Amino acid sequence: DAGITQSPRHKVTETGTPVTLRCHQTENHRYMYWYRQDPGHGLRLIHYSYGVKDTDKGEVSDGYSVSRSKTEDFLLTLESATSSQTSVYFCAISRRMENTEAFFGQGTRLTVV
Amino acid sequence: DQQVKQNSPSLSVQEGRISILNCDYTNSMFDYFLWYKKYPAEGPTFLISISSIKDKNEDGRFTVFLNKSAKHLSLHIVPSQPGDSAVYFCATGGGNKLTFGTGTQLKVEL
C-alpha cells in the first residue's frame, strides 16, 4: 500500500470555526489531491498540487484553501466551516502528470454542526 | 455539469455471473480512463485502466472496454464474487487531474 496518511480520521466541529485536515505521504510523489465524497456526487476535486508551493483549484474549491510547503504534506483548510462542508474528505497522490493511477488515503469524516 | 456519468446507482448480480458496470463521458479530449473500487470506510483503490488508443484491457477477471465514438466505458467482472461487492467509480483523466463519476454500488449475492 502507498504510504499516505490522513489526520484526523474523524472530526466534529462547529459552524464558523476554521478546520485543517492533513495529508502526509512517504512516497515522494509529486502530485497531491484533495477530494470530497458526497452521496449522489461521487468524488469531486477540491484542490490539487503539482509541486511544493504549486497548487490549483478543482471543481468545488469555494470555502477551501490549501498549502504545500513540503513534498510530503498537503494541508486542506476550511476557512469558516459550514454545514454544507460535512463530508468525507480523501487525499490522493500520484507520480506522473498523466495521473494514470492515484493512491488514496483512508479518508477523514468531517461533521460540521 | 457532470462530465462523467454512471447512470446506474446500484447493481445486483448473482455469484458466478457477469457484472457489467457502465460509464459515459462528455469530453472527447480525455486521454485515459480508470476504474476504482471502494469498500466502506476505506479510500478508493485503483482497479484497472485503459488509454484512449486502446479499446480493451484485461486483467484477470476484470476487463475494461472503451467505445470512443459513443464516449462510453464499461467494466466487466466475470465471474463475479461476493468480495466484489463495493462501490465502483469510473474516472477519466487529462492534464493533472482525474474526474470521477458518481459511482455504482455493486452487490454480488450468493
Side-chain angles (χ1 to χ4, degrees):
Chain A
D1 289 346
I4 177 168
T5 305
Q6 290 184 231
S7 59
R9 293 292 313 278
H10 301 271
K11 186 170 182 66
V12 180
T13 192
E14 292 186 350
T15 299
T17 60
V19 176
T20 296
L21 309 183
R22 181 181 185 236
C23 178
H24 178 78
Q25 61 147 329
T26 58
E27 303 296 321
N28 201 34
H29 285 2
R30 178 179 175 184
Y31 298 92
M32 299 186 76
Y33 310 81
W34 277 107
Y35 287 88
R36 60 178 289 175
Q37 184 193 5
D38 304 287
H41 292 279
L43 290 157
R44 292 182 292 174
L45 181 66
I46 305 170
H47 282 280
Y48 65 100
S49 169
Y50 45 96
V52 173
K53 296 185 180 178
D54 292 322
T55 65
D56 204 350
K57 296 179 180 180
E59 58 182 308
V60 289
S61 60
D62 288 348
Y64 301 94
S65 62
V66 290
S67 66
R68 191 169 178 200
S69 59
K70 299 184 290 184
T71 299
E72 56 266 34
D73 290 324
F74 192 32
L75 304 180
L76 175 71
T77 297
L78 288 65
E79 294 142 8
S80 177
T82 67
S83 58
S84 65
Q85 293 176 312
T86 293
S87 186
V88 180
Y89 292 85
F90 289 100
C91 175
I93 62 174
S94 66
R95 285 194 307 271
R96 299 191 296 263
M97 176 185 290
E98 294 82 12
N99 198 9
T100 52
E101 180 178 343
F103 299 96
F104 282 80
Q106 291 189 297
T108 295
R109 181 172 293 277
L110 177 68
T111 303
V112 183
V113 297
Chain B
D1 186 29
Q2 194 79 24
Q3 293 190 64
V4 182
K5 294 182 180 179
Q6 294 178 255
N7 291 318
S8 298
S10 63
L11 175 67
S12 186
V13 172
Q14 281 194 320
E15 182 181 11
R17 305 295 290 267
I18 186 171
S19 296
I20 300 176
L21 296 94
N22 295 302
C23 178
D24 297 300
Y25 60 94
T26 57
N27 189 340
S28 59
M29 298 301 291
F30 288 135
D31 297 322
Y32 46 89
F33 306 85
L34 307 89
W35 285 94
Y36 281 79
K37 178 179 179 180
K38 186 184 180 304
Y39 293 116
E42 295 184 10
T45 55
F46 170 76
L47 190 57
I48 192 170
S49 66
I50 187 170
S51 75
S52 59
I53 62 173
K54 294 186 176 181
D55 54 19
K56 177 182 175 181
N57 187 29
E58 196 170 352
D59 183 2
R61 296 186 297 114
F62 303 92
T63 302
V64 56
F65 295 92
L66 177 62
N67 182 335
K68 289 186 290 293
S69 61
K71 296 181 185 156
H72 180 79
L73 183 71
S74 64
L75 174 69
H76 292 209
I77 306 172
V78 55
S80 301
Q81 300 174 353
D84 296 330
S85 297
V87 177
Y88 290 79
F89 292 99
C90 69
T92 61
N96 287 333
K97 51 189 185 283
L98 294 174
T99 301
F100 285 83
T102 52
T104 296
Q105 173 77 58
L106 173 65
K107 183 177 181 182
V108 180
E109 298 173 322
L110 297 172

